[in-house]
Amino acid sequence: MNIILVARDELQGDLLTLGHRRAEHIVKVLRAAPGDSLRLGIVNGPRGRGRIESLVRKFPFSVTLEVEWEEGGGRRPDLDLILALPRPIMLKRILSQVAALGVGTIHLIHANRVEKSFWEAGLLEEEEWRTHLLLGLEQAVDTVLPEVVLHPRFKPFIEDFCPTLAGQHRLRLLADPGGALPLARAPIPGEGRLLLAVGPEGGWVPYELDKFTEQGFLCCSFGPRILKVDTAIVALHAAVTALRQRQGEAPLPG
Amino acid sequence: MNIILVARDELQGDLLTLGHRRAEHIVKVLRAAPGDSLRLGIVNGPRGRGRIESLVRKFPFSVTLEVEWEEGGGRRPDLDLILALPRPIMLKRILSQVAALGVGTIHLIHANRVEKSFWEAGLLEEEEWRTHLLLGLEQAVDTVLPEVVLHPRFKPFIEDFCPTLAGQHRLRLLADPGGALPLARAPIPGEGRLLLAVGPEGGWVPYELDKFTEQGFLCCSFGPRILKVDTAIVALHAAVTALRQRQGEAPLPG
């Protein structure tokens, strides 16, 4: 926890009282004492610092801080993801990892190779996925909570919903090991929003690839190695980010 | 398991008999039947296919295949890693993920913020880490087993061992969130071996940064977000790979 995130309605003026997980973390992991100053943030709001006024070091843990907001809110990351719904245990890790890496909106969609039972996972309740996103933000010192949108049917997503996104993204990429275009050759812009679609274990089926292509997605490959979905998502996010940073940079002198 | 990996001495001419984990996987996950053809590979050797001659579908599982080698061996990936030894549970996942992404040699080193107890982990026995590397290769359809070298003391590693690597790598990169040079601006060559050093949770200490710099490492940052070590390693591997693919590409026409 590199920043402690709170909801706006937890504040009472300049005072904030934390219990449960966050208080226990402050006591046991940070081993903080009265007078110590901790990095704080309001979810979808500014970052700042809190000075510990008092704490209860035993169960039920409790910490009271006097807070001061220093900075404006963070910027919404300009990469959005479409993910074929992964199995719940993997989705947990993916949510916190992509929140740490930075993502605007995560569209979780159905695909042919997604098991129908995955849609019954408790993790798809907002209070559940929110927890895992917050873990990622706390790690990365960010306050901007990614949006999550569920699309349990593929056809309405691709035919009806996708066109409504039109104009929001400067580029739409679809990752597929069979993609003819190497990702490093994709015309990735240095600026502007980008949409990246990553398939399920076993990949997209040809019908899905066709449908994405009809919607203007560019089918790219990041090499012949078959990766697990969680590894692939982190790798693709980082590769796209590196390529757009490279693109956005002024040429090196000399 | 996208390829079944075997040791050379498991072969009896063109016949191969598998038991335990691999046989159980063939029976239960692949649900294979006699006559089916499976992708096979010899560790540090060629890939090929095996046709199932017979199988025992119950414990103790057993599968006999007739094998045929089709291709030469894979190429050793031209990225080597230096990792400050992570905690064992994280190291397991890292080993299989970097083996899947492709890595030549993994140097596991001590650093100030590595807990001494991590060096007592059973995972540091060869038969243990080998298992996790093989999982990654099986996922990525590769046969080339990464080397693992343990360096339980930082100073001998950086002062005595590092210079012996001289000339093996065209570029030495050190990842640090405080690095002045953005990774996307690093002079990453399209070809040739590369060495990438990734620090422990909490980062390198200034003494370590100085020592790496003395050894010609370029200190690079991949942005201000603080990532967990396992996320950071996958992200940095992918970012470097994307940047060198981009560098290695001929300019786009037009």
Side-chain angles (χ1 to χ4, degrees), chain B residues 185-242:
Chain B
R185 286 197 85 119
I188 294 176
E191 306 246 311
R193 297 199 74 71
L194 214 133
L195 182 59
L196 170 67
V198 184
E201 298 285 342
W204 304 107
V205 298
Y207 166 78
E208 291 158 354
L209 291 174
D210 288 349
K211 283 291 188 183
F212 275 110
T213 308
E214 276 172 28
Q215 292 295 329
F217 282 76
L218 212 58
C219 187
C220 291
S221 156
F222 192 45
R225 307 179 77 93
I226 304 175
L227 300 175
K228 282 198 179 184
V229 163
D230 53 348
T231 311
I233 291 169
V234 173
L236 288 163
H237 188 300
V240 166
T241 302

Short mmCIF file of all heavy atoms in Angstrom, two decimals, chain B residues 185-242:
data_model
loop_
_atom_site.label_atom_id
_atom_site.label_comp_id
_atom_site.label_asym_id
_atom_site.label_seq_id
_atom_site.Cartn_x
_atom_site.Cartn_y
_atom_site.Cartn_z
N ARG B 185 13.45 6.13 -24.45
CA ARG B 185 14.53 6.91 -25.06
C ARG B 185 15.87 6.20 -25.00
O ARG B 185 16.87 6.71 -25.50
CB ARG B 185 14.69 8.26 -24.34
CG ARG B 185 13.61 9.25 -24.66
CD ARG B 185 14.07 10.64 -24.25
NE ARG B 185 14.85 11.23 -25.30
CZ ARG B 185 14.54 12.36 -25.93
NH1 ARG B 185 13.46 13.02 -25.58
NH2 ARG B 185 15.30 12.84 -26.87
N ALA B 186 15.92 5.05 -24.33
CA ALA B 186 17.19 4.32 -24.22
C ALA B 186 17.62 3.85 -25.61
O ALA B 186 16.77 3.52 -26.44
CB ALA B 186 17.03 3.13 -23.28
N PRO B 187 18.94 3.84 -25.87
CA PRO B 187 19.43 3.45 -27.20
C PRO B 187 19.39 1.93 -27.35
O PRO B 187 20.42 1.28 -27.41
CB PRO B 187 20.86 3.98 -27.20
CG PRO B 187 21.27 3.96 -25.76
CD PRO B 187 20.03 4.22 -24.95
N ILE B 188 18.18 1.37 -27.39
CA ILE B 188 18.01 -0.08 -27.43
C ILE B 188 18.26 -0.58 -28.85
O ILE B 188 17.56 -0.16 -29.78
CB ILE B 188 16.60 -0.47 -26.93
CG1 ILE B 188 16.48 -0.12 -25.44
CG2 ILE B 188 16.30 -1.94 -27.17
CD1 ILE B 188 15.12 -0.36 -24.86
N PRO B 189 19.24 -1.47 -29.01
CA PRO B 189 19.55 -1.95 -30.36
C PRO B 189 18.53 -3.01 -30.80
O PRO B 189 17.98 -3.74 -29.99
CB PRO B 189 20.93 -2.58 -30.20
CG PRO B 189 20.97 -3.04 -28.77
CD PRO B 189 20.09 -2.10 -27.99
N GLY B 190 18.26 -3.08 -32.11
CA GLY B 190 17.35 -4.08 -32.64
C GLY B 190 17.91 -5.49 -32.54
O GLY B 190 17.16 -6.45 -32.46
N GLU B 191 19.21 -5.61 -32.52
CA GLU B 191 19.85 -6.94 -32.50
C GLU B 191 20.87 -7.00 -31.37
O GLU B 191 21.33 -5.98 -30.88
CB GLU B 191 20.61 -7.16 -33.81
CG GLU B 191 19.77 -6.98 -35.05
CD GLU B 191 19.59 -8.27 -35.81
OE1 GLU B 191 20.61 -8.95 -36.04
OE2 GLU B 191 18.44 -8.62 -36.13
N GLY B 192 21.26 -8.22 -31.02
CA GLY B 192 22.32 -8.41 -30.03
C GLY B 192 21.77 -8.66 -28.63
O GLY B 192 20.62 -8.35 -28.34
N ARG B 193 22.63 -9.20 -27.76
CA ARG B 193 22.18 -9.54 -26.41
C ARG B 193 22.05 -8.28 -25.56
O ARG B 193 22.79 -7.32 -25.70
CB ARG B 193 23.16 -10.49 -25.72
CG ARG B 193 23.31 -11.85 -26.38
CD ARG B 193 23.90 -12.89 -25.45
NE ARG B 193 22.93 -13.31 -24.47
CZ ARG B 193 21.87 -14.06 -24.76
NH1 ARG B 193 21.64 -14.49 -25.97
NH2 ARG B 193 21.02 -14.40 -23.81
N LEU B 194 21.10 -8.37 -24.64
CA LEU B 194 20.77 -7.26 -23.78
C LEU B 194 20.68 -7.77 -22.35
O LEU B 194 20.24 -8.90 -22.12
CB LEU B 194 19.41 -6.74 -24.24
CG LEU B 194 19.15 -5.28 -24.15
CD1 LEU B 194 18.54 -4.80 -25.45
CD2 LEU B 194 18.17 -5.07 -23.03
N LEU B 195 21.09 -6.96 -21.39
CA LEU B 195 21.05 -7.36 -19.97
C LEU B 195 20.18 -6.34 -19.23
O LEU B 195 20.40 -5.14 -19.34
CB LEU B 195 22.49 -7.37 -19.43
CG LEU B 195 22.70 -7.80 -17.97
CD1 LEU B 195 22.18 -9.21 -17.74
CD2 LEU B 195 24.20 -7.74 -17.62
N LEU B 196 19.20 -6.84 -18.50
CA LEU B 196 18.24 -5.96 -17.81
C LEU B 196 18.22 -6.32 -16.33
O LEU B 196 17.99 -7.47 -15.97
CB LEU B 196 16.85 -6.16 -18.41
CG LEU B 196 15.66 -5.52 -17.69
CD1 LEU B 196 15.73 -4.00 -17.74
CD2 LEU B 196 14.33 -6.01 -18.29
N ALA B 197 18.44 -5.32 -15.48
CA ALA B 197 18.45 -5.55 -14.03
C ALA B 197 17.21 -4.94 -13.39
O ALA B 197 16.89 -3.78 -13.63
CB ALA B 197 19.70 -4.94 -13.41
N VAL B 198 16.50 -5.74 -12.59
CA VAL B 198 15.27 -5.29 -11.93
C VAL B 198 15.43 -5.46 -10.42
O VAL B 198 15.82 -6.54 -9.95
CB VAL B 198 14.04 -6.08 -12.42
CG1 VAL B 198 12.76 -5.54 -11.80
CG2 VAL B 198 13.94 -6.04 -13.95
N GLY B 199 15.12 -4.42 -9.67
CA GLY B 199 15.36 -4.39 -8.23
C GLY B 199 14.32 -5.10 -7.40
O GLY B 199 13.36 -5.66 -7.91
N PRO B 200 14.52 -5.07 -6.06
CA PRO B 200 13.59 -5.72 -5.14
C PRO B 200 12.39 -4.81 -4.84
O PRO B 200 12.39 -3.64 -5.24
CB PRO B 200 14.44 -5.89 -3.88
CG PRO B 200 15.38 -4.72 -3.92
CD PRO B 200 15.65 -4.44 -5.38
N GLU B 201 11.37 -5.35 -4.15
CA GLU B 201 10.30 -4.50 -3.61
C GLU B 201 10.99 -3.40 -2.80
O GLU B 201 11.85 -3.68 -1.99
CB GLU B 201 9.38 -5.29 -2.67
CG GLU B 201 8.62 -6.45 -3.27
CD GLU B 201 7.43 -6.05 -4.14
OE1 GLU B 201 6.96 -4.89 -4.04
OE2 GLU B 201 6.97 -6.89 -4.93
N GLY B 202 10.62 -2.15 -3.03
CA GLY B 202 11.26 -1.06 -2.30
C GLY B 202 12.41 -0.46 -3.09
O GLY B 202 12.90 0.62 -2.76
N GLY B 203 12.86 -1.17 -4.13
CA GLY B 203 13.85 -0.59 -5.04
C GLY B 203 15.30 -0.81 -4.62
O GLY B 203 15.59 -1.37 -3.56
N TRP B 204 16.19 -0.43 -5.50
CA TRP B 204 17.63 -0.46 -5.22
C TRP B 204 17.95 0.65 -4.21
O TRP B 204 17.28 1.69 -4.20
CB TRP B 204 18.43 -0.19 -6.50
CG TRP B 204 18.17 -1.09 -7.65
CD1 TRP B 204 17.48 -0.77 -8.80
CD2 TRP B 204 18.59 -2.46 -7.82
NE1 TRP B 204 17.46 -1.85 -9.65
CE2 TRP B 204 18.13 -2.91 -9.07
CE3 TRP B 204 19.31 -3.35 -7.01
CZ2 TRP B 204 18.36 -4.19 -9.55
CZ3 TRP B 204 19.54 -4.63 -7.49
CH2 TRP B 204 19.07 -5.05 -8.74
N VAL B 205 19.03 0.50 -3.45
CA VAL B 205 19.51 1.61 -2.60
C VAL B 205 20.56 2.38 -3.41
O VAL B 205 21.08 1.85 -4.41
CB VAL B 205 20.09 1.09 -1.26
CG1 VAL B 205 19.01 0.37 -0.45
CG2 VAL B 205 21.29 0.19 -1.47
N PRO B 206 20.86 3.63 -3.01
CA PRO B 206 21.78 4.46 -3.81
C PRO B 206 23.13 3.80 -4.06
O PRO B 206 23.68 3.91 -5.17
CB PRO B 206 21.92 5.74 -2.95
CG PRO B 206 20.64 5.82 -2.20
CD PRO B 206 20.24 4.41 -1.91
N TYR B 207 23.67 3.09 -3.07
CA TYR B 207 24.95 2.39 -3.26
C TYR B 207 24.87 1.41 -4.43
O TYR B 207 25.78 1.33 -5.26
CB TYR B 207 25.31 1.66 -1.96
CG TYR B 207 26.42 0.64 -2.08
CD1 TYR B 207 27.76 1.03 -2.13
CD2 TYR B 207 26.12 -0.73 -2.15
CE1 TYR B 207 28.77 0.09 -2.24
CE2 TYR B 207 27.14 -1.67 -2.26
CZ TYR B 207 28.46 -1.26 -2.31
OH TYR B 207 29.46 -2.18 -2.42
N GLU B 208 23.76 0.68 -4.50
CA GLU B 208 23.59 -0.30 -5.58
C GLU B 208 23.47 0.40 -6.94
O GLU B 208 24.06 -0.04 -7.94
CB GLU B 208 22.36 -1.19 -5.30
CG GLU B 208 22.59 -2.13 -4.12
CD GLU B 208 21.31 -2.65 -3.47
OE1 GLU B 208 20.20 -2.20 -3.86
OE2 GLU B 208 21.42 -3.48 -2.56
N LEU B 209 22.69 1.49 -6.97
CA LEU B 209 22.55 2.25 -8.22
C LEU B 209 23.92 2.73 -8.70
O LEU B 209 24.24 2.62 -9.89
CB LEU B 209 21.61 3.45 -8.01
CG LEU B 209 20.14 3.13 -7.76
CD1 LEU B 209 19.37 4.41 -7.42
CD2 LEU B 209 19.51 2.46 -8.98
N ASP B 210 24.74 3.21 -7.76
CA ASP B 210 26.08 3.68 -8.12
C ASP B 210 26.92 2.54 -8.69
O ASP B 210 27.62 2.71 -9.70
CB ASP B 210 26.80 4.25 -6.89
CG ASP B 210 26.21 5.59 -6.46
OD1 ASP B 210 25.41 6.15 -7.24
OD2 ASP B 210 26.52 6.04 -5.34
N LYS B 211 26.87 1.41 -8.03
CA LYS B 211 27.69 0.27 -8.45
C LYS B 211 27.29 -0.21 -9.85
O LYS B 211 28.15 -0.51 -10.68
CB LYS B 211 27.54 -0.88 -7.44
CG LYS B 211 28.33 -0.66 -6.17
CD LYS B 211 29.80 -0.76 -6.47
CE LYS B 211 30.67 -0.75 -5.24
NZ LYS B 211 32.10 -0.79 -5.61
N PHE B 212 25.99 -0.27 -10.10
CA PHE B 212 25.53 -0.68 -11.44
C PHE B 212 25.97 0.35 -12.48
O PHE B 212 26.40 -0.01 -13.58
CB PHE B 212 24.01 -0.84 -11.47
CG PHE B 212 23.52 -2.18 -11.01
CD1 PHE B 212 22.83 -2.34 -9.82
CD2 PHE B 212 23.73 -3.31 -11.79
CE1 PHE B 212 22.38 -3.58 -9.40
CE2 PHE B 212 23.27 -4.56 -11.39
CZ PHE B 212 22.59 -4.69 -10.18
N THR B 213 25.87 1.62 -12.13
CA THR B 213 26.27 2.67 -13.07
C THR B 213 27.75 2.55 -13.40
O THR B 213 28.16 2.67 -14.56
CB THR B 213 25.94 4.06 -12.48
OG1 THR B 213 24.57 4.06 -12.08
CG2 THR B 213 26.14 5.15 -13.50
N GLU B 214 28.57 2.30 -12.35
CA GLU B 214 30.02 2.08 -12.58
C GLU B 214 30.27 0.95 -13.57
O GLU B 214 31.26 0.95 -14.29
CB GLU B 214 30.72 1.69 -11.26
CG GLU B 214 31.10 2.86 -10.39
CD GLU B 214 31.60 2.38 -9.02
OE1 GLU B 214 32.12 1.24 -8.92
OE2 GLU B 214 31.43 3.14 -8.04
N GLN B 215 29.38 -0.05 -13.55
CA GLN B 215 29.55 -1.20 -14.45
C GLN B 215 28.92 -0.94 -15.82
O GLN B 215 28.70 -1.88 -16.59
CB GLN B 215 28.94 -2.46 -13.83
CG GLN B 215 29.69 -2.97 -12.60
CD GLN B 215 31.10 -3.43 -12.95
OE1 GLN B 215 31.36 -3.91 -14.05
NE2 GLN B 215 32.02 -3.26 -12.01
N GLY B 216 28.57 0.30 -16.09
CA GLY B 216 28.08 0.65 -17.43
C GLY B 216 26.59 0.41 -17.64
O GLY B 216 26.13 0.40 -18.78
N PHE B 217 25.84 0.22 -16.55
CA PHE B 217 24.39 0.07 -16.72
C PHE B 217 23.76 1.45 -16.89
O PHE B 217 24.15 2.41 -16.22
CB PHE B 217 23.76 -0.61 -15.50
CG PHE B 217 23.96 -2.09 -15.45
CD1 PHE B 217 25.20 -2.63 -15.10
CD2 PHE B 217 22.93 -2.96 -15.77
CE1 PHE B 217 25.39 -4.00 -15.06
CE2 PHE B 217 23.12 -4.33 -15.73
CZ PHE B 217 24.35 -4.86 -15.38
N LEU B 218 22.77 1.52 -17.78
CA LEU B 218 22.03 2.74 -18.02
C LEU B 218 20.77 2.69 -17.16
O LEU B 218 19.98 1.75 -17.27
CB LEU B 218 21.63 2.74 -19.50
CG LEU B 218 21.52 4.06 -20.22
CD1 LEU B 218 22.82 4.82 -20.15
CD2 LEU B 218 21.14 3.78 -21.67
N CYS B 219 20.58 3.69 -16.31
CA CYS B 219 19.47 3.68 -15.36
C CYS B 219 18.22 4.28 -16.01
O CYS B 219 18.19 5.47 -16.32
CB CYS B 219 19.88 4.45 -14.11
SG CYS B 219 18.69 4.32 -12.80
N CYS B 220 17.20 3.46 -16.23
CA CYS B 220 16.01 3.88 -16.96
C CYS B 220 14.75 3.76 -16.12
O CYS B 220 14.63 2.86 -15.29
CB CYS B 220 15.78 2.97 -18.17
SG CYS B 220 17.02 3.18 -19.42
N SER B 221 13.79 4.63 -16.38
CA SER B 221 12.50 4.56 -15.71
C SER B 221 11.39 4.24 -16.70
O SER B 221 11.42 4.68 -17.85
CB SER B 221 12.21 5.91 -15.05
OG SER B 221 10.83 6.08 -14.89
N PHE B 222 10.42 3.43 -16.25
CA PHE B 222 9.27 3.14 -17.11
C PHE B 222 8.04 3.86 -16.56
O PHE B 222 6.94 3.33 -16.58
CB PHE B 222 9.05 1.62 -17.18
CG PHE B 222 8.09 1.19 -18.25
CD1 PHE B 222 8.15 1.72 -19.53
CD2 PHE B 222 7.10 0.24 -17.99
CE1 PHE B 222 7.25 1.34 -20.52
CE2 PHE B 222 6.20 -0.16 -18.98
CZ PHE B 222 6.28 0.39 -20.24
N GLY B 223 8.26 5.10 -16.07
CA GLY B 223 7.13 5.89 -15.60
C GLY B 223 7.05 5.90 -14.08
O GLY B 223 7.73 5.14 -13.42
N PRO B 224 6.22 6.81 -13.55
CA PRO B 224 6.19 7.04 -12.11
C PRO B 224 5.38 6.01 -11.31
O PRO B 224 5.43 6.01 -10.09
CB PRO B 224 5.53 8.42 -12.00
CG PRO B 224 4.65 8.49 -13.19
CD PRO B 224 5.31 7.68 -14.27
N ARG B 225 4.61 5.14 -11.97
CA ARG B 225 3.76 4.21 -11.23
C ARG B 225 4.64 3.15 -10.56
O ARG B 225 5.51 2.58 -11.20
CB ARG B 225 2.73 3.57 -12.17
CG ARG B 225 1.92 4.60 -12.96
CD ARG B 225 0.93 3.97 -13.90
NE ARG B 225 -0.24 3.49 -13.21
CZ ARG B 225 -1.35 4.20 -13.04
NH1 ARG B 225 -1.44 5.43 -13.55
NH2 ARG B 225 -2.36 3.71 -12.38
N ILE B 226 4.38 2.89 -9.28
CA ILE B 226 5.15 1.87 -8.57
C ILE B 226 4.46 0.53 -8.79
O ILE B 226 3.27 0.37 -8.48
CB ILE B 226 5.23 2.19 -7.06
CG1 ILE B 226 5.84 3.59 -6.86
CG2 ILE B 226 6.06 1.14 -6.33
CD1 ILE B 226 5.85 4.04 -5.41
N LEU B 227 5.19 -0.43 -9.36
CA LEU B 227 4.60 -1.73 -9.67
C LEU B 227 5.15 -2.80 -8.74
O LEU B 227 6.28 -2.69 -8.25
CB LEU B 227 4.92 -2.11 -11.12
CG LEU B 227 4.42 -1.14 -12.19
CD1 LEU B 227 4.91 -1.57 -13.57
CD2 LEU B 227 2.90 -1.05 -12.17
N LYS B 228 4.35 -3.84 -8.50
CA LYS B 228 4.89 -5.00 -7.81
C LYS B 228 5.98 -5.61 -8.68
O LYS B 228 5.92 -5.52 -9.91
CB LYS B 228 3.80 -6.04 -7.59
CG LYS B 228 2.89 -5.70 -6.45
CD LYS B 228 2.13 -6.95 -6.02
CE LYS B 228 1.24 -6.61 -4.85
NZ LYS B 228 0.53 -7.77 -4.32
N VAL B 229 6.92 -6.30 -8.04
CA VAL B 229 8.06 -6.81 -8.80
C VAL B 229 7.62 -7.75 -9.92
O VAL B 229 8.15 -7.68 -11.03
CB VAL B 229 9.07 -7.48 -7.85
CG1 VAL B 229 10.03 -8.35 -8.62
CG2 VAL B 229 9.84 -6.42 -7.10
N ASP B 230 6.65 -8.62 -9.65
CA ASP B 230 6.27 -9.58 -10.71
C ASP B 230 5.62 -8.86 -11.89
O ASP B 230 5.90 -9.18 -13.05
CB ASP B 230 5.40 -10.72 -10.17
CG ASP B 230 4.18 -10.25 -9.40
OD1 ASP B 230 4.09 -9.05 -9.06
OD2 ASP B 230 3.31 -11.09 -9.12
N THR B 231 4.80 -7.85 -11.62
CA THR B 231 4.22 -7.06 -12.71
C THR B 231 5.32 -6.29 -13.45
O THR B 231 5.36 -6.25 -14.68
CB THR B 231 3.19 -6.04 -12.17
OG1 THR B 231 2.29 -6.71 -11.30
CG2 THR B 231 2.42 -5.38 -13.29
N ALA B 232 6.25 -5.72 -12.67
CA ALA B 232 7.31 -4.90 -13.27
C ALA B 232 8.18 -5.72 -14.21
O ALA B 232 8.55 -5.25 -15.29
CB ALA B 232 8.16 -4.27 -12.16
N ILE B 233 8.52 -6.94 -13.81
CA ILE B 233 9.41 -7.75 -14.64
C ILE B 233 8.75 -8.08 -15.98
O ILE B 233 9.38 -7.95 -17.04
CB ILE B 233 9.83 -9.03 -13.90
CG1 ILE B 233 10.75 -8.67 -12.73
CG2 ILE B 233 10.52 -10.03 -14.83
CD1 ILE B 233 11.02 -9.80 -11.77
N VAL B 234 7.49 -8.50 -15.94
CA VAL B 234 6.79 -8.81 -17.19
C VAL B 234 6.67 -7.54 -18.04
O VAL B 234 6.92 -7.56 -19.26
CB VAL B 234 5.40 -9.42 -16.91
CG1 VAL B 234 4.60 -9.58 -18.20
CG2 VAL B 234 5.55 -10.77 -16.20
N ALA B 235 6.31 -6.42 -17.40
CA ALA B 235 6.12 -5.17 -18.14
C ALA B 235 7.43 -4.71 -18.77
O ALA B 235 7.47 -4.31 -19.95
CB ALA B 235 5.55 -4.09 -17.21
N LEU B 236 8.53 -4.77 -18.01
CA LEU B 236 9.82 -4.31 -18.55
C LEU B 236 10.31 -5.22 -19.67
O LEU B 236 10.83 -4.76 -20.68
CB LEU B 236 10.86 -4.25 -17.42
CG LEU B 236 10.65 -3.12 -16.42
CD1 LEU B 236 11.43 -3.38 -15.14
CD2 LEU B 236 11.08 -1.78 -17.04
N HIS B 237 10.14 -6.52 -19.49
CA HIS B 237 10.54 -7.48 -20.53
C HIS B 237 9.80 -7.15 -21.82
O HIS B 237 10.39 -7.06 -22.90
CB HIS B 237 10.23 -8.90 -20.06
CG HIS B 237 10.76 -9.99 -20.94
ND1 HIS B 237 10.39 -10.11 -22.27
CD2 HIS B 237 11.63 -10.99 -20.70
CE1 HIS B 237 11.03 -11.16 -22.79
NE2 HIS B 237 11.78 -11.70 -21.86
N ALA B 238 8.49 -6.93 -21.71
CA ALA B 238 7.68 -6.68 -22.89
C ALA B 238 8.00 -5.32 -23.51
O ALA B 238 8.06 -5.19 -24.74
CB ALA B 238 6.19 -6.74 -22.53
N ALA B 239 8.23 -4.33 -22.66
CA ALA B 239 8.54 -2.99 -23.18
C ALA B 239 9.87 -3.02 -23.95
O ALA B 239 9.96 -2.48 -25.06
CB ALA B 239 8.61 -1.98 -22.03
N VAL B 240 10.87 -3.66 -23.37
CA VAL B 240 12.17 -3.75 -24.03
C VAL B 240 12.04 -4.53 -25.35
O VAL B 240 12.59 -4.13 -26.38
CB VAL B 240 13.21 -4.40 -23.09
CG1 VAL B 240 14.46 -4.82 -23.83
CG2 VAL B 240 13.56 -3.44 -21.95
N THR B 241 11.29 -5.61 -25.31
CA THR B 241 11.11 -6.43 -26.51
C THR B 241 10.41 -5.62 -27.61
O THR B 241 10.82 -5.66 -28.78
CB THR B 241 10.29 -7.69 -26.17
OG1 THR B 241 10.99 -8.42 -25.15
CG2 THR B 241 10.09 -8.59 -27.38
N ALA B 242 9.38 -4.89 -27.23
CA ALA B 242 8.65 -4.08 -28.23
C ALA B 242 9.56 -3.01 -28.81
O ALA B 242 9.57 -2.78 -30.03
CB ALA B 242 7.42 -3.44 -27.58
#
